[in-house]
Amino acid sequence: MAENANQQEKNESLTRRRFLKNSGIAIGGLAVGGALGSLIPFKDKTDKDGVKTEQKAENYNLALMFFTQQQFRMVEAATERIFPADDNGPGAKDLGVAYFIDHQLSGDWGFNAREYMQPPFFKGEKVQGYQGRLRRREIFDIGLRELQNHSLKKFEKNFIDLDEEQQIEVLTDFAEDKVQLTTISPSGFFNMMRTATLEGAYSDPLYSGNRNMDGWKMRNYPGSQMAYTDVIDQEFKVIAPKSLKDHLGH
C-alpha cells in the first residue's frame, strides 16, 4: 500500500510539472527566472546564416510614470533648450533628462514627502526658496499648462511646434516673470525645471537620466567609484565612470 501511494504521488508530481512546463510555454514564458523559468527551454537567437546573435536588452526604465505624452514632449523640448546638445556632447533629450524628471515627480520629490507642508504660508525670501502649499508635481502640471497657453498666445502654436528661438523666448518670459500668473511663480517654475534638468544630466544613470553616463564623460567625472586606492598617489588621470549599478554583487 505504501509503495503504491509513493508511486501515485510521484506520478502526480510529474503530471503537475508537465502541466506547469506546458503552461509556461503557452503564456510565452512570462515566469522566466522563477520556478517555470528553469523548466522552459529557450533557443538561442540566430541570424539567417545560422550564426548566434546577442539580443539587445530593452531598457524598461524608460517608461512614463507621471507625465502625459504631451507633457513629456514639452519637458523634453524645454530641457533641451536649457541643456542643448553641442560639440561637447549630447543635450538633455539624448541624456534622458525628461524621464528623470518624470520619475522624480512620481515619487517622494514630486510629493514633497520629506518637507513640512502645513500652513500658515508666507511669501518667503529668495534665500528661503519655495514657500507654499502646492507640491512639485502640481507646480509642473500648472507650469506646463501655462507654458502651452503662453506659447499659443504669443506664437499661435503649441510649444513643441515652435522653433528653437521661439521656445527660448517663451522660456525666457517665464524666467524673467514676464508672464502674469496667479497660481504659481513663472520664474519659480522655470528655476525648478532648470535645476531638475541639471540634476537629470549629472545624476547616476540608475535614476533614468545621464544616459550611458555621457553627462559624466563630458566632465571627466568618475561617477560612483568603490575606491581610489590604486590611483590616489598618482598624478591626475581620467577614470572611466561607473554607475551604482556597476557595483551590484560586489
Side-chain angles (χ1 to χ4, degrees):
M1 290 291 291
E3 182 177 350
N4 290 337
N6 290 337
Q7 183 63 39
Q8 182 178 359
E9 183 178 349
K10 182 177 181 181
N11 290 338
E12 289 178 355
S13 177
L14 290 173
T15 301
R16 286 196 300 271
R17 177 170 295 187
R18 189 178 299 111
F19 169 76
L20 290 174
K21 180 177 180 180
N22 292 337
S23 298
I25 295 173
I27 62 176
L30 295 180
V32 174
L36 295 182
S38 61
L39 301 175
I40 303 172
F42 289 93
K43 294 182 179 179
D44 293 324
K45 198 169 183 74
T46 57
D47 60 19
K48 62 181 180 180
D49 298 321
V51 180
K52 290 183 179 181
T53 59
E54 292 185 7
Q55 288 181 278
K56 185 178 180 181
E58 295 289 342
N59 188 352
Y60 292 104
N61 200 30
L62 300 183
L64 298 184
M65 300 179 182
F66 175 71
F67 290 139
T68 64
Q69 287 290 339
Q70 183 186 31
Q71 287 176 323
F72 176 77
R73 289 194 293 269
M74 288 180 66
V75 171
E76 203 170 47
T79 55
E80 183 68 17
R81 301 286 72 75
I82 294 171
F83 195 99
D86 58 19
D87 293 340
N88 295 314
K93 182 176 181 179
D94 289 335
L95 288 172
V97 166
Y99 284 108
F100 169 83
I101 296 176
D102 170 78
H103 295 181
Q104 292 299 307
L105 288 172
S106 72
D108 287 353
W109 187 77
F111 283 101
N112 297 63
R114 300 184 181 184
E115 299 167 38
Y116 185 79
M117 297 291 291
Q118 300 299 320
F121 299 103
F122 300 99
K123 182 175 177 57
E125 300 294 332
K126 289 186 177 181
V127 294
Q128 292 178 299
Y130 172 69
Q131 305 285 316
R133 69 181 74 244
L134 294 175
R135 268 56 179 176
R136 291 186 184 93
R137 54 183 13 226
E138 295 169 323
I139 293 174
F140 263 85
D141 272 340
I142 296 170
L144 291 174
R145 184 174 66 243
E146 296 298 345
L147 199 69
Q148 174 77 329
N149 289 340
H150 187 58
S151 174
L152 291 170
K153 181 179 179 180
K154 188 165 186 170
F155 296 108
E156 298 183 350
K157 289 183 180 180
N158 294 324
F159 181 78
I160 59 175
D161 295 327
L162 301 178
D163 61 38
E164 293 183 6
E165 291 303 319
Q166 290 172 329
Q167 288 178 345
I168 290 173
E169 280 191 50
V170 171
L171 292 172
T172 300
D173 287 346
F174 271 73
E176 297 178 354
D177 283 320
K178 293 181 179 179
V179 186
Q180 299 300 316
L181 303 180
T182 58
T183 48
I184 62 172
S185 161
S187 62
F189 166 64
F190 173 81
N191 289 331
M192 183 180 293
M193 183 162 57
R194 179 182 182 275
T195 298
T197 298
L198 296 177
E199 290 173 350
Y202 296 120
S203 66
D204 193 288
L206 188 67
Y207 301 104
S208 307
N210 188 17
R211 190 175 296 158
N212 298 321
M213 295 182 279
D214 284 338
W216 288 348
K217 292 172 185 175
M218 285 189 284
R219 298 280 184 174
N220 288 329
Y221 180 68
S224 304
Q225 300 286 333
M226 291 288 285
Y228 296 91
T229 53
D230 57 334
V231 296
I232 197 169
D233 59 347
Q234 301 177 18
E235 292 184 6
F236 177 81
K237 61 181 296 186
V238 176
I239 303 174
K242 286 188 177 181
S243 164
L244 290 169
K245 184 180 178 182
D246 295 328
H247 304 307
L248 291 177
H250 286 214

